[in-house]
Amino acid sequence: MSDEKGVIYRISGPVVTATGIRSRMYEVVRVGHEGLMGEVIELHGDKSVIQVYEDTSGIRPGEPVVRTGQTLSVQLGPGLLTQIYDGIQRPLPVLEKTMGTFIERGVDADGLDLEKEWDFEATVAVGDEVAPGTVIGTVQETETIVHKVMLPPNHSGKVASIESGSFNVTQTVCTLEDGTEIQMMQKWPVRTPRPYQQKYAPDTPLVTGMRILDFLFPLAKGGAAGIPGPFGSGKTVTQQSLAKYSDAQIVVYIGCGERGNEMTEVLDEFPHLIDPNTGKPLMNRTVMIANTSNMPVAAREASVYTGITIAEYFRDMGYDVALMADSTSRWAEAMREISSRLEEMPGEEGYPAYLSSRLAEFYERAGRVETLEGEDGSVTVIGAVSPPGGDISEPVSQGTLRIVKVFWGLDAGLARQRHFPAINWLSSYSLYPQSLDQWFRDNIASDFPEIRTEISSLLQVEAELQEIVQLVGSDALPVDQQLTLEVARMIREFFLQQNGFHEVDAYTGLEQQYKMAKAILTFQDSAKKSLAAGGQLEDVVNVPARTNLMRDRLEKGYLDRIDGLVDEMNKQIAAAAEEK
Amino acid sequence: MSGKEYRTITDVKGPLVFLEKTEPVAYGEIVQLRLTDGSMKNGQVLDTSDDMVVVQVFEGTAGVDLGTGVKFMGDVFKLPVSKDLIGRILDGAGRPRDGGPAIVAEGEADIIGAAINPYSRQSPHDFIQTGISAIDCCTTLVRGQKLPIFSASGLPHNDIALQIARQAKLKDSDEEFIVVFCAMGITAEEYNFFRSDLERTGALENAVLFVNLADDPAVERLITPRLALTAAEYLAFEHDYHVLVVYTDVTNYCDALRQIGAAREEVPGRRGYPGYMYTDLAMLYERAGLVKGKKGSITQFPILTMPGDDITHPIPDLSGYITEGQIVISRELHGSGIYPPINVLPSLSRLMGGCIGEKTTRDDHKSVSDQMYAAYAQGRELRGLVAIVGEDALNERDKQLLDFSGLFEDKFLRQSRDEDRSIDETLDLCWDLMQNISTKYLVRLDQKYIDKYHPTEKK
Ligand SMILES: Nc1ncnc2c1ncn2[C@@H]1O[C@H](COP(=O)(O)OP(=O)(O)OP(=O)(O)O)[C@@H](O)[C@H]1O
Ligand SMILES: [Mg+2]
C-alpha cells in the first residue's frame, strides 16, 4: 500500500485512527468512502489519529483514508466580507444550496466564490520591486471596504506584468520576473500566525459606545479582553453590541458552540443596522463564523483558528480588526472532548494539559503591529467565557485571565436585578488605562483620567457604605454620606446601566460619556453647596431638572442639550437651599 | 442485512459489551443480542476498530454472558416516519405500546438528526399565549423557542406543562399545536397523569407519545428523545405542523449519559457527568425552531428537576447555557399554596423582546412587564428587611411595594389549573394591581401608558 492512502483502523466519535498512511501533523486527509474532511492531530508509529470535521456515524474500519498534502487552511481574498461560514470556512449559503435546510456530510465548498469577478485595480507597475505583503492592487469589496490584494508572504521579486480589470480570484493578475503567477486568492494554514514586522504597544482605545467599558475599563485596539459570566448574564448581547458599535474597521464574529438562533439574529439584523462610524450597513465590514453547539465538535475546535486567520489577513491590509469569540469555553470543551477520545492524560477538570498554552497562543495573535508593508494594523480579541455554575475558579476562566489585560466580569446578581450591562464594576478591571490615558487627554478632555478615577472611587466608597447600611439602615448615616449614596446611585442608573436594545441608548460617543460623568460630579458639587447652605437632601435629590437630565439620555440630540440640562439642575438645586 | 452472528464477547461492563474480531462494523451501527436463554436485546456501536467493538446495550446487560450472540444490523438507528404516528403511543425504542399495528412508514429518518444550517433558520417571533399570566407577561413564550421548566422533585411542573399544552395558542388564530410527548424514566403514575389528561381533553388523538418509564431500560432513554425529536421534525418540516415537544425528565436522561460514561471509564466532568454533556444536550435542544420556506415549527418545553434544588448543578446549568431562557418553579411559593408557583425573578425568556408589543400583544406589554418585575423584586427584598426591623420602620414607598409583592403572588401568579387568561386580561390585571402603588413610584412605566391604561389616572 502506498503512503498516500491508508485504511481506517478505529472510529470513536469524531476521532478516527488510520494505518498504512504516512501523514504529517495537522495535514488534512479525506476519510471513508464519502471523503469526510479530517485533520491529523497525533502520530503513533504507523497510526495517524485524525479528528473528523463531520459526523462519523456509519463509517467502518477498512474504509480508505487519503492524504491531501495540505494543512488546514483558509482561502483569503475578496468575497470574505458579509459571508457566513462554518468552522472550516464552508459558506453556509452554499451548503444550503447544495444540501437544503439540514447540514448533511461529505460536501465540500470553497471559502471564496471562485467564479465571481472583481474589479482589480493595480497599484504597482511593471518593474516595481515587490516583497511579501506588498499591496499590488485593490478591489472595492463592499461599499465601505477596500480589499488590498497583497503579495503572499512567501513571494518577492520584480513585477513582470500586471493588469487592472475584471478578474475572478483564481485568475492571474500579476506575474513576477521569476515566472511566479499571483492571483487575488491566497491560502494560509489556520494554525500558523501570519507574519508581521513588529508588535507595538497599543495606544488607542477601541471605542465601543458602551459607557462602562469605554469609561471605566477601556480596551485598546490590538488588546485582548475576556468576558466571563454565567448563562443569561449578557455575554452574547455584549459581544453583539461590540460587533455593532465598536470603531473597528472589520469585525470577525465567531459563534463557537452556541445557539443557531443567535446567528440568525445577527444575519437578520446586521444588513439593516447602520454603522455609526461610516453611516453604512454593518454587514459591509463583517465576516461571520457559525459553528453552533450541535455542529461537529472538531469543526468547532477549528472555528476560532479560521476566524483569527481571517482577522490577521485584514490586519495585514492595515485595518483595525475586532474579533469576538462566543464562547471560548465551548472551544475549550471541544479540545477536551477530542483529548479524552485520544485517551490523553487529563489536566484539571478533564481539560488537556495544553489548555492554557492553547489559550495563550490564541490571544497572542491579537496585537497592534507594523505590517510587512509598514502599515499600522491591529487585531483586538474579545472572548466570552462560560464558566460552569458561573464560578470563575475553573480552568478556562483562569487560563484566560492570566493572559488578557481586560476583564469584564458579568454578574448573575446584577442580571437578575435587570441592571444591564450586568458588568460588575468592582471586580472588573482593565490594565490599559496607563497606555491609553494620553489618547483620552489629547482627544476627549485633558482631565478625562481624573474624572474616571473620581467616578470609580465613588463606586468603591458606595460599596463600603452599603455594608453599613445593611446593618443600620441608610437613615442612620450622616447626610454627606447619604449624598454619596445618591451620587453613586446616579452613576449606576444613569451612567453604567445601558440598554443594549434601545435605539439611542445602545451607543454613546466618548464626548457624551465624558459629559455625563461630569454631570454626575457637578450634581455632587451643587448638592454639597446646597446642603451646606441649609438645603434638605430630599429636596436636592428630587429636583425635576435632575430627573430630566437623567431621563433625556434616551432622546436623540442629548449631547447638544446636556449642558443646558446641567445648568437647569444647578439652578434648581441652589434654589432648594434658598427656599429654607 | 449482514446475517452473521458473533460469539466473541470478551468483557461485559455496566451497560457495555466488548467483543473482538468481527467484520468491519460501522460506528453507530445498530446491534441485536441473542442471550443464551433466547431473549433479545438491542444496542448500538460506540467504538469500532479492527480488533475490538464496544456496544452499548439499551436494555442493560443483565443476563448477558460470553455465549451471547451479537448480530450487526448494517445500519444506524432510524425511525420509520409517517403521518400515522399522530395519535400513537410508542415505547422508548419506538415500538408500538398501545397495542396498535406497526407504523406503516412513509420514510425513514436517522434519529441523530443533522444540524439545521444556521443560515436556513428563521428567527422565531410569534407570540404564544399560554393563558398563564406569569409566563405570558414576564417570560413570554415564542413559537419555535426552547424554553425549559427548571423544577425539582415534588413540585407541580407536570400540571404546568399540561396546562400549557392544553392552552397554548397563537393570539387571534386557531392554528393548533400538536404535542409530541417524550417520557424519560418518569414513574408510571406520572405517565398516567399525562396520558389521562391528554385523553380527557381529546389531545391524545393529536399527539405522539414516546414512553420510557422508570422501570424501563435506563440506557434506552438516550434514544427516546431522539426518536421524539425525529418525529417532531418530520411532522413540522414535511407536514407543516406546529409541534410542541414536551419532554420529561431531562435529569433522568443525563443520569443515563453518566452511566455510559462511567462504564467506558471516561474522565468525568463536574459531578461525574461526561465532559461532552453540553454538546449532547445541545443536540437535543437545538432541534427546535423555524426554518426558511417551511410552514411548521418546533417549540420545545423540556422539564428537568434540579437535584437538591440547585440551579448551579450541571444539568440545569448546561441546559441554561443552551436554551433560550428558563421558567423556574419555586418550592417556597408552592409551600405557600400558590399555583402555578413560578418564580419570575430567575426566570427569563430571551426571545421575548422580539415578540411583544403593539403588533403582537399590546403596546404597554414591555413597560408593564418591566414595572411588575421591578416592583415585585423590590417588594420581595423588603420582606427580608421587615423580618429584622419591623414593618413600622418602612417608609411609604416601601410599604406599598411590600404589600404589592403579596398581591402579586396572590392575585397575579395564582390562577387555577384550567384558568385560561387572555393576554389582555393578564395585562389589565397588572394595571389593576399596580393601582396599589402611587404612580410616582412606578418609574418604569411610560407616562403615555399611564394616561392610556391606569384605572384611576387614565385620561
Ligand atoms: N446590555 C443589555 N441590555 C438589555 N438587556 C440585556 C443586556 N444584556 C443582557 N440582556 C438581557 O439578558 C438576556 C441574556 O443575555 P445573553 O443572551 O447575552 O446572555 P449570555 O451571557 O450570552 O448567556 P449564555 O451563556 O446562556 O449564552 C438577554 O436576552 C436580554 O434579555
Ligand atoms: Mg450567549
Side-chain angles (χ1 to χ4, degrees):
Chain A
M1 190 173 289
S2 92
D3 292 349
E4 297 302 307
K5 200 169 160 180
V7 291
I8 298 178
Y9 162 74
R10 176 182 176 189
I11 304 146
S12 173
V15 173
V16 164
T17 311
T19 55
I21 179 173
R22 190 179 290 266
S23 56
R24 276 177 296 133
M25 276 299 272
Y26 300 123
E27 179 175 349
V28 172
V29 292
R30 295 288 170 179
V31 176
H33 295 309
E34 292 176 67
L36 307 185
M37 189 167 158
E39 184 185 10
V40 176
I41 52 170
E42 204 172 270
L43 297 172
H44 268 310
D46 72 330
K47 293 202 175 87
S48 303
V49 182
I50 299 156
Q51 63 175 1
V52 180
Y53 293 119
E54 297 178 82
D55 178 36
T56 53
S57 302
I59 311 291
R60 291 167 200 272
E63 289 190 32
V65 177
V66 184
R67 290 185 59 180
T68 64
Q70 310 245 318
T71 45
L72 183 66
S73 301
V74 285
Q75 297 181 343
L76 300 167
L80 290 165
L81 294 171
T82 76
Q83 190 53 275
I84 177 164
Y85 294 111
D86 76 352
I88 48 173
Q89 210 206 4
R90 296 186 302 177
L92 293 177
V94 174
L95 296 190
E96 184 189 68
K97 217 172 267 163
T98 49
M99 325 186 237
T101 304
F102 292 91
I103 301 183
E104 307 294 344
R105 64 184 186 195
V107 177
D108 276 339
D110 284 297
L112 298 180
D113 183 338
L114 304 186
E115 308 296 322
K116 180 165 178 169
E117 299 205 339
W118 301 88
D119 280 328
F120 173 80
E121 204 159 312
T123 52
V124 292
V126 173
D128 284 357
E129 280 296 341
V130 290
T134 304
V135 176
I136 58 168
T138 59
V139 165
Q140 188 73 41
E141 185 175 353
T142 64
E143 217 179 342
T144 45
I145 302 294
V146 173
H147 193 109
K148 299 180 190 163
V149 178
M150 297 169 288
L151 209 62
N154 39 359
H155 295 297
S156 57
K158 253 190 190 159
V159 175
S161 72
I162 185 158
E163 210 183 325
S164 296
S166 194
F167 297 97
N168 70 33
V169 294
T170 59
Q171 285 169 327
T172 297
V173 290
C174 168
T175 22
L176 303 184
E177 284 189 346
D178 65 1
T180 312
E181 299 188 335
I182 308 290
Q183 297 85 27
M184 283 195 268
M185 179 171 82
Q186 53 175 287
K187 288 188 184 169
W188 191 260
V190 297
R191 296 184 198 277
T192 311
R194 285 175 61 88
Y196 50 82
Q197 292 204 36
Q198 58 169 322
K199 265 196 184 176
Y200 294 128
D203 63 0
T204 313
L206 182 81
V207 180
T208 69
M210 284 175 77
R211 297 186 287 263
I212 185 167
L213 305 188
D214 292 341
F215 204 78
L216 293 185
F217 311 113
L219 172 60
K221 289 204 173 98
I227 318 183
F231 68 79
S233 58
K235 296 180 292 296
T236 303
V237 175
T238 305
Q239 296 257 40
Q240 291 189 356
S241 287
L242 294 171
K244 289 176 196 166
Y245 303 120
S246 69
D247 67 344
Q249 291 158 303
I250 303 286
V251 167
V252 178
Y253 192 95
I254 311 173
C256 173
E258 293 287 314
R259 302 173 183 82
N261 276 335
E262 290 173 347
M263 301 312 294
T264 314
E265 207 177 287
V266 175
L267 281 171
D268 283 351
E269 225 182 334
F270 276 36
H272 307 291
L273 280 176
I274 297 302
D275 178 351
N277 304 295
T278 63
K280 293 280 160 28
L282 276 170
M283 208 60 195
N284 285 328
R285 65 166 191 182
T286 311
V287 184
M288 272 188 286
I289 294 172
N291 211 94
T292 57
S293 54
N294 56 339
M295 287 160 73
V297 286
R300 190 201 295 172
E301 192 273 336
S303 66
V304 299
Y305 295 102
T306 298
I308 196 126
T309 306
I310 292 173
E312 286 175 339
Y313 175 67
F314 281 103
R315 171 205 69 190
D316 293 345
M317 297 179 203
Y319 287 122
D320 290 317
V321 185
L323 175 140
M324 291 94 203
D326 184 13
S327 159
T328 60
S329 293
R330 307 305 168 214
W331 167 48
E333 285 166 7
M335 278 189 247
R336 173 167 72 182
E337 191 169 334
I338 303 287
S339 156
S340 90
R341 301 272 184 181
L342 299 179
E343 288 159 20
E344 289 174 342
M345 256 305 261
E348 234 182 312
E349 295 195 14
Y351 285 104
Y354 46 79
L355 170 71
S356 56
S357 59
R358 291 279 163 87
L359 286 168
E361 283 161 20
F362 170 66
Y363 282 105
E364 256 317 284
R365 292 175 75 169
R368 191 179 144 231
V369 304
E370 182 186 357
T371 66
L372 294 180
E373 167 108 314
E375 299 269 337
D376 198 341
S378 67
V379 172
T380 312
V381 173
I382 302 125
V385 185
S386 315
D391 177 359
I392 62 162
S393 64
E394 54 89 40
V396 184
S397 303
Q398 289 303 311
T400 305
L401 294 183
R402 272 200 297 277
I403 314 156
V404 300
K405 292 211 168 111
V406 175
F407 168 62
W408 294 326
L410 289 165
D411 185 303
L414 290 173
R416 196 181 278 199
Q417 290 162 33
R418 303 283 202 260
H419 172 111
F420 290 121
I423 294 167
N424 186 317
W425 52 90
L426 298 173
S427 65
S428 299
Y429 59 78
S430 162
L431 301 180
Y432 287 115
Q434 282 181 347
S435 36
L436 299 178
D437 276 354
Q438 198 53 49
W439 188 95
F440 284 117
R441 284 189 209 282
D442 294 346
N443 291 278
I444 308 299
S446 56
D447 62 347
F448 191 98
E450 287 72 30
I451 302 293
R452 171 173 55 223
T453 309
E454 279 191 64
I455 295 285
S456 47
S457 32
L458 276 162
L459 290 167
Q460 296 287 346
V461 173
E462 182 199 29
E464 288 155 25
L465 289 178
Q466 285 295 358
E467 284 178 22
I468 306 173
V469 170
Q470 295 297 320
L471 298 173
V472 298
S474 62
D475 286 351
L477 293 182
V479 73
D480 62 324
Q481 293 190 342
Q482 290 187 35
L483 174 64
T484 303
L485 287 179
E486 283 299 335
V487 174
R489 178 145 81 154
M490 187 168 178
I491 299 175
R492 286 188 281 112
E493 294 180 0
F494 167 62
F495 192 80
L496 299 184
Q497 281 193 23
Q498 191 171 359
N499 184 343
F501 301 112
H502 191 282
E503 189 193 2
V504 177
D505 199 30
Y507 176 85
T508 306
L510 285 179
E511 191 187 346
Q512 183 176 328
Q513 294 186 19
Y514 172 77
K515 288 202 168 194
M516 288 171 74
K518 281 281 271 203
I520 296 168
L521 299 178
T522 307
F523 163 70
Q524 186 181 32
D525 289 345
S526 312
K528 271 188 190 154
K529 279 191 207 119
S530 181
L531 293 177
Q536 293 293 309
L537 182 64
E538 170 92 11
D539 300 333
V540 165
V541 168
N542 288 325
V543 295
R546 191 175 77 113
T547 314
N548 292 343
L549 169 73
M550 288 170 59
R551 213 188 37 213
D552 277 14
R553 72 166 204 277
L554 301 176
E555 309 292 329
K556 287 196 177 122
Y558 184 64
L559 180 59
D560 301 329
R561 292 209 317 281
I562 184 166
D563 291 340
L565 291 162
V566 171
D567 287 345
E568 184 56 32
M569 173 184 73
N570 287 338
K571 270 188 218 138
Q572 292 187 4
I573 291 176
E578 281 157 24
E579 276 163 30
K580 283 290 125 187
Chain B
M1 265 187 63
S2 64
K4 191 155 180 229
E5 188 172 288
Y6 292 89
R7 280 177 208 282
T8 53
I9 295 182
T10 58
D11 292 84
V12 183
K13 195 158 51 173
L16 302 184
V17 162
F18 298 73
L19 64 159
E20 60 183 18
K21 295 261 168 5
T22 60
E23 77 210 65
V25 168
Y27 177 72
E29 187 167 341
I30 290 303
V31 177
Q32 234 174 42
L33 294 92
R34 195 154 52 84
L35 275 57
T36 32
D37 67 3
S39 63
M40 307 295 286
K41 286 181 190 279
N42 299 291
Q44 189 176 12
V45 175
L46 281 191
D47 198 327
T48 171
S49 71
D50 286 352
D51 318 321
M52 177 71 73
V53 177
V54 184
V55 175
Q56 105 185 355
V57 183
F58 297 137
E59 294 87 349
T61 48
V64 173
D65 61 13
L66 301 189
T68 295
V70 181
K71 202 156 122 184
F72 297 95
M73 308 306 285
D75 206 351
V76 295
F77 211 119
K78 298 220 162 122
L79 176 74
V81 285
S82 154
K83 245 174 117 163
D84 294 344
L85 282 167
I86 298 174
R88 297 298 303 269
I89 303 177
L90 308 168
D91 73 5
R95 295 168 294 230
R97 191 194 152 100
D98 51 8
I103 307 290
V104 182
E106 288 163 25
E108 277 196 321
D110 182 349
I111 67 160
I112 300 298
I116 297 177
N117 184 333
Y119 182 77
S120 308
R121 281 182 183 269
Q122 204 185 315
S123 288
H125 45 65
D126 290 329
F127 165 65
I128 295 178
Q129 180 177 298
T130 67
I132 296 175
S133 292
I135 296 176
D136 290 349
C137 173
C138 302
T139 53
T140 315
L141 177 63
V142 184
R143 188 157 70 179
Q145 186 171 18
K146 41 192 179 289
L147 189 63
I149 299 186
F150 284 10
S151 188
S153 49
L155 299 180
H157 39 265
N158 293 340
D159 300 70
I160 298 173
L162 276 168
Q163 188 169 1
I164 291 167
R166 275 197 310 272
Q167 301 180 353
K169 57 178 150 311
L170 287 191
K171 200 186 166 197
D172 311 320
S173 148
D174 40 45
E175 270 183 297
E176 295 238 351
F177 285 96
I178 65 166
V179 175
V180 170
F181 174 79
C182 168
M184 298 176 285
I186 61 173
T187 62
E189 192 185 328
E190 279 178 287
Y191 164 62
N192 288 331
F193 178 73
F194 269 103
R195 204 195 121 136
S196 55
D197 193 90
L198 292 171
E199 215 158 22
R200 178 174 67 83
T201 58
L204 196 58
E205 287 165 36
N206 266 321
V208 192
L209 276 57
F210 290 87
V211 184
N212 166 288
L213 297 184
D215 57 357
D216 287 331
V219 179
E220 186 183 271
R221 263 159 233 166
L222 296 177
I223 55 170
T224 314
R226 296 190 158 79
L227 296 170
L229 290 163
T230 304
E233 277 169 0
Y234 176 77
L235 294 170
F237 301 136
E238 302 293 331
H239 290 287
D240 297 344
Y241 284 102
H242 294 295
V243 184
L244 185 66
V245 184
V246 178
Y247 48 113
T248 179
D249 177 339
V250 174
T251 303
N252 295 333
Y253 172 86
C254 293
D255 286 344
L257 208 58
R258 177 165 67 175
Q259 208 181 325
I260 295 288
R264 296 187 70 184
E265 292 174 7
E266 289 165 351
V267 184
R270 275 208 313 153
R271 307 227 191 157
Y273 292 94
Y276 49 78
M277 192 157 89
Y278 172 85
T279 304
D280 192 280
L281 284 173
M283 295 187 61
L284 304 180
Y285 294 140
E286 277 288 316
R287 293 171 83 172
L290 307 169
V291 299
K292 284 189 252 170
K294 311 246 169 164
K295 286 211 194 90
S297 63
I298 298 178
T299 308
Q300 281 194 23
F301 227 74
I303 299 172
L304 63 86
T305 48
M306 300 183 278
D309 291 13
D310 177 9
I311 200 168
T312 68
H313 183 282
I315 297 172
D317 189 51
L318 293 180
S319 296
Y321 271 123
I322 306 164
T323 55
E324 288 151 342
Q326 65 279 337
I327 292 173
V328 182
I329 312 289
S330 146
R331 192 174 297 283
E332 186 200 330
L333 288 170
H334 179 64
S336 40
I338 288 168
Y339 174 88
I342 296 172
N343 185 355
V344 300
L345 302 179
S347 299
L348 171 72
S349 164
R350 301 184 191 217
L351 304 184
M352 174 173 176
C355 100
I356 61 173
E358 192 173 355
K359 291 200 191 90
T360 49
T361 56
R362 212 166 81 177
D363 51 357
D364 58 331
H365 189 156
K366 173 146 191 6
S367 205
V368 167
S369 164
D370 287 350
Q371 182 61 66
M372 290 288 284
Y373 184 97
Y376 179 60
Q378 288 166 17
R380 284 273 301 220
E381 215 172 286
L382 287 164
R383 284 186 199 170
L385 190 65
V386 167
I388 305 169
V389 299
E391 201 160 327
D392 293 342
L394 296 187
N395 60 28
E396 185 53 30
R397 172 175 176 272
D398 288 354
K399 275 198 194 100
Q400 290 183 5
L401 288 170
L402 181 69
D403 291 344
F404 173 81
S405 72
L407 288 170
F408 183 97
E409 290 170 3
D410 193 41
K411 298 271 192 290
F412 174 75
L413 286 185
R414 191 198 295 281
Q415 64 188 90
S416 69
R417 283 170 171 71
D418 50 17
E419 187 174 354
D420 187 358
R421 296 183 190 152
S422 73
I423 184 68
D424 281 307
E425 284 169 341
T426 289
L427 293 174
D428 289 345
L429 173 63
C430 295
W431 282 104
D432 208 34
L433 297 175
M434 287 190 297
Q435 278 185 81
N436 296 287
I437 305 174
S438 328
T439 44
K440 66 175 175 230
Y441 304 135
L442 296 174
V443 290
R444 306 243 174 178
L445 281 181
D446 271 347
Q447 187 61 41
K448 63 178 176 211
Y449 299 128
I450 295 181
D451 296 345
K452 187 166 170 190
Y453 293 104
H454 196 282
T456 54
E457 305 205 4
K458 70 178 161 206
K459 294 191 173 143

